[in-house]
Amino acid sequence: MSSGRTHLFATLIALAPGFAAYAQQNTDDGWQLGADSEQNSAQQQDDWGWEDDDWGIEETSAGLPVHGFAELALGRRTESSPYHDALSLGDARLRLETSYQWQEISFEAKAEGRYDAVLSDWRGRIRELSAQFSLGQQFDIKAGRQILTWGTGDYLFLNDLFPKDWQSFFAGREDEYLKAPSDAVKASGYFDWFNLDLVYSPEFDGDNYISGDYFSFFNPRAGGVIAPQPGFNAKRPSGDEWALRLFRNIKGKELALYAYDGYYKSPEALSAEGVPTFSGLQTLGASIRMPLGSGLFNAEISHHRSKEDGKGENPRIPNSQWRALLGYEQEVITRLTGSVQFYLEHTQNHAALLANSPFPDWEAEQNRVVLTNRLTWRNQRDDLSLSLFTFYSPTDQDGYLRPALDYRLDDNWSMSAGMNLFFGEDEHSFFGQFKDNNNLYGRIRYSF
């Protein structure tokens, strides 16, 4: 990494405490935040309709609370790669967050900018910009850019078809960046027999997929691992997306039904011109989470129907699949929690896929199994945690290890470190294709 990049990182980190002090000063002196704001908010919540003006509108605070963090993150490949430099992560990031209440509408905003030393580029993004309000006693509406998620899996997503950021996940960014934002309207309804969440996205929101700019991947048409520079851009569909969840808690059992109509979230298909794209997808699923013994048991199932290749005869389009998950979590000993998951992908019309595929030897097994394990230990002061998450596929003979350490120095400073280690016998298997991308990383954050 050049000295110029280092100076940019140092500048952002150095600015953070100053900005925090400035925000705190304004909070204390002029923005009427903190305890006063909380008191006002509590009064507004408890006494709806009080303090109305002539329009019947509740007075609200004119100030904006400002929070956020500055973070420096660096990562390095553990082995030399024929496709990339040693630097696998190089972020200098500043995030600002605020919220505002106007009448009975809550606004949330999260914006951030970062210098990406891997791409030698500045990036900015609105991570959240949403408004939330109620319609009567039974409906809540949240509209705008927001993070959406549901389902019971731990790093495994069967019915959660909201966008994911796999590049951030594999690079060692904070786990929250695995969930990418959606531009959507979410309606939540609450009834005697069930509750519902209905999400509409007017434009397709895909994953931040592995494209070659950060990490190499296997391409059967190239006959091996590649890393196009810059990363390839998939052809995006122009349609919308719908997602529905019906859920209810019955005697401690969390039950849910799911439906989705849209597209595969990563570009697993090829257009007629041979361009990577996102083919149509419909899913139906269900889940349960409940206490069992001294821990928590969860099960989830989902059917992914490939809308454009119902018979599985088109090798350019993914086949339909059944996906199933069983999981269990409990405290093993004091402050040490363990969890395990069994995950199955069953590809329908697998014989037709092999018969029509130009690369039958590289197609996935009809039944792909993944086993996961998470161990998390926290110290007595709860300021240090050590964790290890493992993926292992006995059918693909490959896997992925994620050891991590998180330490909170005080209310402002925290640091993290970890590794992303892939292994596998074949370079075309799901995890095996990333063997050249093994990396270690460290992050330090100042929150304000």
Side-chain angles (χ1 to χ4, degrees):
M1 184 177 58
S2 70
S3 60
R5 294 173 181 173
T6 304
H7 291 158
L8 286 168
F9 295 156
T11 300
L12 273 179
I13 293 297
L15 285 174
F19 183 85
Y22 174 77
Q24 185 63 43
Q25 182 181 2
N26 282 275
T27 297
D28 294 338
D29 297 339
W31 291 358
Q32 300 178 358
L33 303 178
D36 291 344
S37 178
E38 292 176 1
Q39 182 178 354
N40 291 340
S41 177
Q43 186 174 11
Q44 290 162 9
Q45 292 176 3
D46 293 339
D47 305 328
W48 287 8
W50 287 19
E51 299 182 0
D52 286 355
D53 60 15
D54 293 340
W55 296 87
I57 297 174
E58 197 171 10
E59 294 289 344
T60 58
S61 171
L64 289 175
V66 178
H67 307 285
F69 62 83
E71 183 180 80
L72 173 65
L74 292 173
R76 181 183 177 86
R77 286 179 168 78
T78 58
E79 301 174 3
S80 62
S81 166
Y83 313 102
H84 297 94
D85 295 334
L87 187 69
S88 57
L89 175 67
D91 289 350
R93 183 187 304 267
L94 177 65
R95 177 194 281 189
L96 299 177
E97 305 177 5
T98 189
S99 59
Y100 184 70
Q101 182 78 24
W102 180 70
Q103 299 187 18
E104 295 183 0
I105 304 176
S106 299
F107 297 90
E108 297 284 340
K110 298 179 181 178
E112 57 185 38
R114 66 184 168 92
Y115 180 74
D116 188 327
V118 175
L119 303 180
S120 299
D121 194 13
W122 289 92
R123 299 291 177 97
R125 188 173 200 183
I126 302 297
R127 186 160 174 83
E128 179 157 359
L129 184 62
S130 64
Q132 185 169 4
F133 56 92
S134 298
L135 288 178
Q137 299 295 319
Q138 293 181 303
F139 289 96
D140 288 334
I141 305 295
K142 187 173 184 179
R145 180 160 295 185
Q146 55 193 294
I147 303 297
L148 297 163
T149 187
W150 57 41
T152 66
D154 188 2
Y155 290 157
L156 294 172
F157 306 101
L158 288 76
N159 293 291
D160 180 347
L161 276 302
F162 303 112
K164 307 295 183 297
D165 186 344
W166 295 110
Q167 298 208 124
S168 290
F169 187 66
F170 291 161
R173 294 191 178 107
E174 174 68 33
D175 270 6
E176 71 163 296
Y177 290 101
L178 173 60
K179 307 291 179 62
S182 300
D183 295 324
V185 177
K186 177 184 177 184
S188 300
Y190 308 97
F191 308 98
D192 293 337
W193 290 95
F194 65 91
N195 303 313
L196 72 83
D197 289 324
L198 178 63
V199 177
Y200 174 66
S201 300
E203 294 185 352
F204 170 69
D205 290 310
D207 291 345
N208 186 17
Y209 49 86
I210 304 300
S211 63
D213 48 4
Y214 281 91
F215 302 115
S216 55
F217 61 93
F218 181 79
N219 184 309
R221 295 185 178 275
V225 173
I226 63 172
Q229 299 295 329
F232 75 87
N233 290 315
K235 182 180 179 181
R236 300 175 64 84
S238 58
D240 55 8
E241 300 175 276
W242 292 89
L244 173 68
R245 178 177 67 156
L246 305 177
F247 58 101
R248 187 182 181 190
N249 191 314
I250 301 177
K251 296 181 179 179
K253 300 181 179 64
E254 299 175 9
L255 307 173
L257 300 173
Y258 308 89
Y260 170 80
D261 186 23
Y263 304 87
Y264 285 85
K265 306 304 287 189
S266 288
E268 302 178 30
L270 289 176
S271 69
E273 299 77 23
V275 178
T277 188
F278 308 82
S279 56
L281 173 68
Q282 288 178 332
T283 73
L284 289 173
S287 70
I288 182 173
R289 192 199 314 264
M290 57 182 285
L292 181 64
S294 57
L296 280 176
F297 166 80
N298 65 285
E300 189 168 343
I301 191 168
S302 181
H303 181 245
H304 289 213
R305 189 180 81 82
S306 181
K307 295 167 64 175
E308 300 172 28
D309 186 24
K311 296 182 180 179
E313 297 175 344
N314 187 343
R316 295 185 294 103
I317 306 297
N319 280 29
S320 300
Q321 285 185 332
W322 282 97
R323 301 184 180 188
L325 174 72
L326 299 173
Y328 188 74
E329 175 184 3
Q330 75 167 62
E331 185 177 66
V332 180
I333 58 175
T334 302
R335 298 191 297 276
L336 177 64
T337 302
S339 66
V340 294
Q341 295 182 116
F342 171 88
Y343 172 71
L344 170 67
E345 286 180 358
H346 174 79
T347 301
Q348 295 182 257
N349 303 306
H350 194 259
L353 171 64
L354 297 182
N356 292 280
S357 173
F359 315 106
D361 292 339
W362 293 337
E363 297 292 351
E365 299 288 336
Q366 182 172 25
N367 294 301
R368 175 173 176 260
V369 172
V370 177
L371 308 174
T372 79
N373 170 240
R374 179 191 288 274
L375 292 173
T376 303
W377 175 84
R378 299 181 185 280
N379 69 349
Q380 193 167 9
R381 296 172 54 183
D382 201 30
D383 55 8
L384 172 66
S385 71
L386 303 174
S387 66
L388 173 64
F389 196 98
T390 63
F391 298 84
Y392 175 67
S393 172
T395 52
D396 287 359
Q397 294 292 302
D398 65 357
Y400 173 31
L401 307 178
R402 286 176 57 87
L405 176 152
D406 296 283
Y407 180 56
R408 177 170 50 81
L409 284 75
D410 53 34
D411 291 341
N412 300 114
W413 290 96
S414 61
M415 56 185 297
S416 304
M419 302 182 75
N420 293 285
L421 303 174
F422 304 91
F423 61 92
E425 295 185 353
D426 301 314
E427 66 176 5
H428 66 270
S429 66
F430 186 84
F431 294 118
Q433 65 182 312
F434 300 124
K435 285 189 296 184
D436 292 320
N437 302 299
N438 290 343
N439 62 81
L440 54 86
Y441 63 87
R443 304 189 305 266
I444 184 167
R445 173 178 294 192
Y446 182 86
S447 302
F448 52 87

